[in-house]
Amino acid sequence: QDLIWLKENGYVTITSAELLHYLENKEPIPKKAVILSIDDGSWGVYTNAWPLLKKHDMKADFNVIGEQIDATWELLHSGASRENDPAPFCTWEELIEMQKSGEINVCSHTYGMHVYNREKRIGMSMMESETAEDFADTVKKDYNLSVRCIEGWTGKKPETVAYPYSKRSAESDKLVLENTGYKILMAGENARGTAAN
């Protein structure tokens, strides 16, 4: 229903990669452009959302958690199944297929920083006692892992990252932009709470 409403009201979907192209080449952005952004990397995007996007001739960014995609890939390639998993993730092969279609733009949701209060860290935000140098080093290492996976499998380096839990600050934005190859940082205003937070 949301996709139908957007189409009926003249909206056109673009990806963050297309937005960067428009900005870097000083080309006009389509009128009523909107980016659909889907987080985590869940298998439901492959089985449900992607077919709907194709049906309505639309596109979306798919922000994946690298370590979850790796874990699913390893699970399935060891002979196990994700059929009974309550929250299964995609495989790299499925992400390649979606990205090649043009409807899905695979982006980063970090490699392993989608955590809530693991060692006092919440997502890709700075911890209270963390120095800017330590945070920059942590973000750079995570970025390199994310790039190694996403670019290694899809052939396309991620230039967009969606902040886990939308936890960010002006200082973290600056450090992420200075120490990684990300060009677009996504976060929501007043992000909804989850069971974990």
Side-chain angles (χ1 to χ4, degrees):
Q1 288 178 339
D2 289 338
L3 298 181
I4 292 167
W5 185 92
L6 287 169
K7 200 159 204 170
E8 287 177 348
N9 286 275
Y11 289 90
V12 59
T13 55
I14 64 170
T15 66
S16 60
E18 290 173 322
L19 176 62
L20 279 173
H21 174 83
Y22 295 132
L23 295 173
E24 289 170 352
N25 293 288
K26 296 182 170 61
E27 294 178 10
I29 298 169
K31 290 183 180 182
K32 295 186 90 170
V34 63
I35 295 175
L36 302 178
S37 178
I38 307 169
D39 285 350
D40 297 344
S42 65
W43 192 29
V45 171
Y46 182 77
T47 59
N48 300 315
W50 182 38
L52 285 172
L53 290 167
K54 283 194 279 193
K55 178 180 176 181
H56 296 287
D57 194 27
M58 294 182 146
K59 304 172 183 181
D61 278 2
F62 192 20
N63 312 305
V64 300
I65 305 166
E67 70 179 356
Q68 294 289 357
I69 307 299
D70 272 351
T72 297
W73 189 89
E74 289 175 18
L75 175 82
L76 296 180
H77 284 80
S78 70
S81 169
R82 64 184 159 191
E83 293 296 330
N84 295 320
D85 188 334
F89 286 84
C90 285
T91 63
W92 290 111
E93 292 89 345
E94 290 162 345
L95 292 170
I96 291 168
E97 184 184 352
M98 288 189 284
Q99 180 142 310
K100 280 184 178 176
S101 75
E103 288 104 9
I104 295 289
N105 177 41
V106 177
C107 302
S108 179
H109 203 24
T110 73
Y111 181 82
M113 296 183 78
H114 197 290
V115 297
Y116 198 88
N117 210 17
R118 185 194 299 165
E119 297 172 8
K120 299 191 177 180
R121 185 176 304 284
I122 299 173
M124 197 168 73
S125 61
M126 290 182 71
M127 297 185 292
E128 283 183 28
S129 60
E130 192 170 31
T131 66
E133 185 177 89
D134 287 344
F135 176 73
D137 187 51
T138 299
V139 166
K140 191 175 202 172
K141 286 177 184 171
D142 187 86
Y143 168 77
N144 289 335
L145 283 170
S146 191
V147 166
R148 200 163 85 193
C149 288
I150 294 173
E151 184 178 32
W153 281 97
T154 70
K156 183 177 168 287
K157 187 182 288 191
E159 295 183 299
T160 298
V161 64
Y163 277 109
Y165 311 106
S166 290
K167 297 293 184 187
R168 53 161 294 280
S169 67
E171 184 178 10
S172 67
D173 286 353
K174 182 177 185 295
L175 291 167
V176 169
L177 290 170
E178 287 174 351
N179 292 282
T180 70
Y182 294 131
K183 296 178 181 177
I184 293 180
L185 313 178
M186 288 191 179
E189 290 291 324
N190 303 315
R192 66 175 174 79
T194 65
N197 65 7

